[in-house]
Amino acid sequence: MPSDTIRAALVRRLESSSGLSEEDVAEIQALPIAVKHYPAETPVVHDGERASECCLIIEGFCARSKTIASGKRQILSLHIPGEIPDLMSLFLHVMDHELSTLTSCKLGFINHDALRKLHRRRPAVAEIFWRDTLIDSAMFREWIVNVGQRPAPARLAHVMMELRERLRLIGRVEGASFEMPLTQEQIGEALGITAVHANRVIRQLREEGIVELHRGRVTVLDERKFLDLADFDGRYLHQSPTS
Amino acid sequence: MPSDTIRAALVRRLESSSGLSEEDVAEIQALPIAVKHYPAETPVVHDGERASECCLIIEGFCARSKTIASGKRQILSLHIPGEIPDLMSLFLHVMDHELSTLTSCKLGFINHDALRKLHRRRPAVAEIFWRDTLIDSAMFREWIVNVGQRPAPARLAHVMMELRERLRLIGRVEGASFEMPLTQEQIGEALGITAVHANRVIRQLREEGIVELHRGRVTVLDERKFLDLADFDGRYLHQSPTS
DNA sequence: CGGCGTCCTTAACTTTTGTTGGAACCGGGC
DNA sequence: GCCCGGTTCCAACAAAAGTTAAGGACGCCG
């Protein structure tokens, strides 16, 4: 994979959400990135760790999570190529949660100092990355609402819908279907329910002809019903520079 | 209230969490602020609004929330004097949630342009505000875990505990008690449970001699039990500049 | 000081979700 | 081909939380 392809998804995403000048793009392209491969289901950055670099997802799916004293785990967000899930570590020096892979991944590591220097040199770039962390924050807010207020079937539909919208941006939705490589255990951890209940809910959505979930791939069977159930308003994704 | 007192809580909070140079402090003190008074239970910034200023809480309690199609409301965070709950509106132009008062409040409004100019002039100040929005984000992550994984009594204890830690920073904890001016309806909205169930949980904590909640004031009856129940690890508040 | 509205409180009942335990399925390694 | 481990799937039962309904406390205002 040529070096510019590595950065392409990142630039494309930042461009669509924030707008970038040519010089900004050039500067971002010039950032040194160390590429590493990780197998599926592997921690990348640990809770409690003091990070000195950020992690760009080049290929594969990741998730962020926190584990509480009782051993229960909550998935906080899902991440796809072009995203930097731990950008926050730039200023929050010790990690308060974990970043791990869901599938096998190609990840690019960008040094904190390099990023900070770029920000001082080009405040406009800093603002774009700041905005990116704010969108991340907006997604957490919606995740709170999802887990706090929606019944389990709507929760699942909403998470699927959000993932689809984000995958669409990077051209990864194929007709009525897209990837969502989580086990039912992980789906439960994302929705704040048990794996058994996750299974019930998945079955229910299948039986009602709304969505099919098989082998880490979602297929929407009835778009109208899916929309109704998900109760999705994508404003919180702030996908346009003016929103 | 003299002008420096208005800014005092903000500076104090930023100082303890990030460290500020004297020049930075002077610049922040110099920001023009328009003070306004709001009654209790009043929206300050609406969902969908395009904001041109940020809101500093000088006195009183606020909350952020989102309302879904079914009419259910989820409280996302509580806010106390010295905080700028809608700092994110600097770069997320249209609000994806609502900011409203819980009690009657004295609020100070700071123009976006003034802030942006300050950031360009002093990148170090920008970084401190950026970090502040990242801490906000970290609090959302913990809120997700709370609502998603903890049983209702632990949820309540955890929210109380977080509020106490933050109030402590601004010198607002009096012995074993502190303010938490929410109705049981609002507590339910914060914890993702119904008001009736919130009442059950509050009663349970009282009967077990853990905490008393009366007239918007929390009194901790048994610190040990309270700690155990809340399962609180304050790292996510990132209260020290190095954390 | 009496009436009104909001909040708090409680009980009885329903629904959702969790728990336990086990069977079927499936892919990868031997 | 066959075993093994992880996932998926399912049912029966238990616990947690939601719903509905109604009485009581309290402060505010006329």
Side-chain angles (χ1 to χ4, degrees):
Chain A
M1 180 183 279
S3 159
D4 56 337
T5 314
I6 289 177
R7 293 155 177 89
L10 170 63
V11 168
R12 181 168 171 191
R13 203 173 50 77
L14 294 178
E15 248 166 358
S16 85
S17 92
S18 293
L20 281 167
S21 74
E22 267 184 48
E23 296 83 19
D24 297 338
V25 171
E27 291 268 18
I28 292 172
Q29 301 275 12
L31 279 168
I33 298 183
V35 177
K36 282 194 226 173
H37 290 260
Y38 281 75
E41 303 279 347
T42 310
V44 179
V45 192
H46 294 85
D47 194 345
E49 184 176 338
R50 188 171 284 268
S52 62
E53 49 191 14
C54 291
C55 166
L56 166 67
I57 303 178
I58 299 165
E59 190 50 55
F61 284 73
C62 290
R64 290 194 278 174
S65 63
K66 289 185 93 154
T67 303
I68 65 175
S70 70
K72 288 190 186 176
R73 195 170 86 120
Q74 173 70 44
I75 290 181
L76 305 164
S77 57
L78 305 177
H79 294 281
I80 64 176
E83 298 183 343
I84 305 180
D86 62 344
L87 227 201
M88 33 67 63
S89 69
L90 243 194
F91 297 109
L92 258 31
H93 310 295
V94 358
M95 289 288 291
D96 54 42
H97 63 283
E98 171 179 297
L99 171 64
S100 52
T101 62
L102 289 169
T103 63
S104 75
C105 280
K106 179 188 286 192
L107 304 178
F109 292 89
I110 309 173
N111 190 269
H112 279 177
D113 291 332
L115 272 172
R116 272 192 280 260
K117 276 180 195 151
L118 171 54
H119 292 166
R120 291 294 170 111
R121 202 164 55 242
R122 303 209 132 251
V125 173
E127 288 182 359
I128 284 162
F129 278 111
W130 186 347
R131 180 171 148 95
D132 208 45
T133 63
L134 293 176
I135 294 174
D136 193 53
S137 188
M139 288 168 41
F140 288 139
R141 285 193 288 274
E142 187 65 32
W143 203 278
I144 293 173
V145 174
N146 203 41
V147 169
Q149 297 299 336
R150 280 189 263 261
R155 277 185 223 183
L156 177 56
H158 194 278
V159 166
M160 287 173 164
M161 189 85 187
E162 177 188 305
L163 184 60
R164 187 176 72 170
E165 290 313 294
R166 289 160 58 206
L167 285 171
R168 209 195 292 287
L169 276 191
I170 58 168
R172 295 255 190 162
V173 176
E174 293 143 35
S177 99
F178 55 92
E179 272 186 89
M180 180 163 144
L182 306 202
T183 65
Q184 295 187 352
E185 178 74 40
Q186 291 164 337
I187 290 173
E189 289 171 347
L191 305 183
I193 60 180
T194 59
V196 174
H197 196 52
N199 180 278
R200 278 198 279 256
V201 170
I202 292 165
R203 174 172 30 143
Q204 190 190 327
L205 296 199
R206 186 183 344 106
E207 284 172 354
E208 292 177 0
I210 300 175
V211 293
E212 174 84 51
L213 174 55
H214 189 60
R215 303 279 193 82
R217 177 161 278 274
V218 177
T219 306
V220 177
L221 304 173
D222 186 325
E223 181 67 25
R224 163 63 59 81
K225 284 189 196 162
F226 182 50
L227 241 63
D228 283 352
L229 181 62
D231 180 32
F232 185 80
D233 175 350
R235 279 189 304 125
Y236 73 94
L237 293 176
H238 298 272
Q239 282 170 350
S240 136
T242 60
S243 70
Chain B
M1 180 185 277
S3 158
D4 56 336
T5 313
I6 291 177
R7 291 155 178 90
L10 170 63
V11 168
R12 181 168 171 191
R13 203 173 50 76
L14 294 178
E15 249 166 358
S16 86
S17 92
S18 296
L20 282 167
S21 75
E22 267 184 47
E23 296 84 19
D24 297 338
V25 171
E27 291 269 18
I28 292 171
Q29 301 276 13
L31 280 167
I33 298 182
V35 177
K36 280 194 227 174
H37 290 260
Y38 281 75
E41 302 280 346
T42 310
V44 178
V45 191
H46 295 84
D47 193 345
E49 185 175 337
R50 186 171 284 268
S52 62
E53 50 191 12
C54 291
C55 165
L56 166 67
I57 303 178
I58 299 165
E59 190 51 57
F61 285 73
C62 291
R64 290 193 279 173
S65 62
K66 287 184 94 153
T67 303
I68 63 175
S70 70
K72 288 190 185 177
R73 195 169 88 121
Q74 173 70 44
I75 289 180
L76 305 165
S77 58
L78 305 177
H79 293 281
I80 65 177
E83 299 182 342
I84 305 180
D86 62 345
L87 226 202
M88 34 67 64
S89 69
L90 243 195
F91 296 109
L92 259 31
H93 311 294
V94 358
M95 290 288 291
D96 54 42
H97 62 283
E98 171 178 298
L99 170 65
S100 52
T101 63
L102 290 168
T103 64
S104 75
C105 281
K106 180 188 287 191
L107 304 178
F109 292 88
I110 309 174
N111 190 269
H112 280 177
D113 290 332
L115 273 172
R116 273 193 280 259
K117 277 180 193 150
L118 171 53
H119 293 165
R120 291 293 170 111
R121 201 163 58 240
R122 303 209 132 253
V125 173
E127 289 182 357
I128 284 162
F129 278 111
W130 187 347
R131 180 172 149 95
D132 208 45
T133 63
L134 292 175
I135 294 174
D136 193 53
S137 188
M139 288 168 41
F140 288 138
R141 283 193 288 274
E142 187 64 32
W143 203 278
I144 292 173
V145 174
N146 203 42
V147 169
Q149 298 299 338
R150 280 189 263 261
R155 277 185 224 183
L156 177 56
H158 193 279
V159 167
M160 287 172 164
M161 191 85 185
E162 176 188 308
L163 184 60
R164 187 176 72 170
E165 290 314 293
R166 288 159 61 204
L167 285 170
R168 208 195 294 287
L169 277 190
I170 58 168
R172 295 258 191 159
V173 176
E174 293 142 35
S177 99
F178 56 92
E179 272 186 89
M180 179 163 145
L182 306 202
T183 65
Q184 295 188 351
E185 178 74 40
Q186 291 164 338
I187 289 173
E189 290 170 346
L191 305 182
I193 59 180
T194 58
V196 173
H197 196 52
N199 181 278
R200 280 198 277 255
V201 170
I202 292 165
R203 172 169 34 142
Q204 189 190 325
L205 296 198
R206 185 184 344 106
E207 284 171 353
E208 291 176 2
I210 301 175
V211 293
E212 174 84 52
L213 175 54
H214 189 60
R215 304 281 190 88
R217 175 160 280 273
V218 177
T219 306
V220 177
L221 303 173
D222 186 325
E223 182 66 26
R224 164 62 59 80
K225 285 188 196 164
F226 183 50
L227 242 62
D228 283 352
L229 181 62
D231 178 32
F232 185 80
D233 175 350
R235 280 187 304 124
Y236 74 93
L237 293 175
H238 298 272
Q239 282 170 351
S240 135
T242 59
S243 69

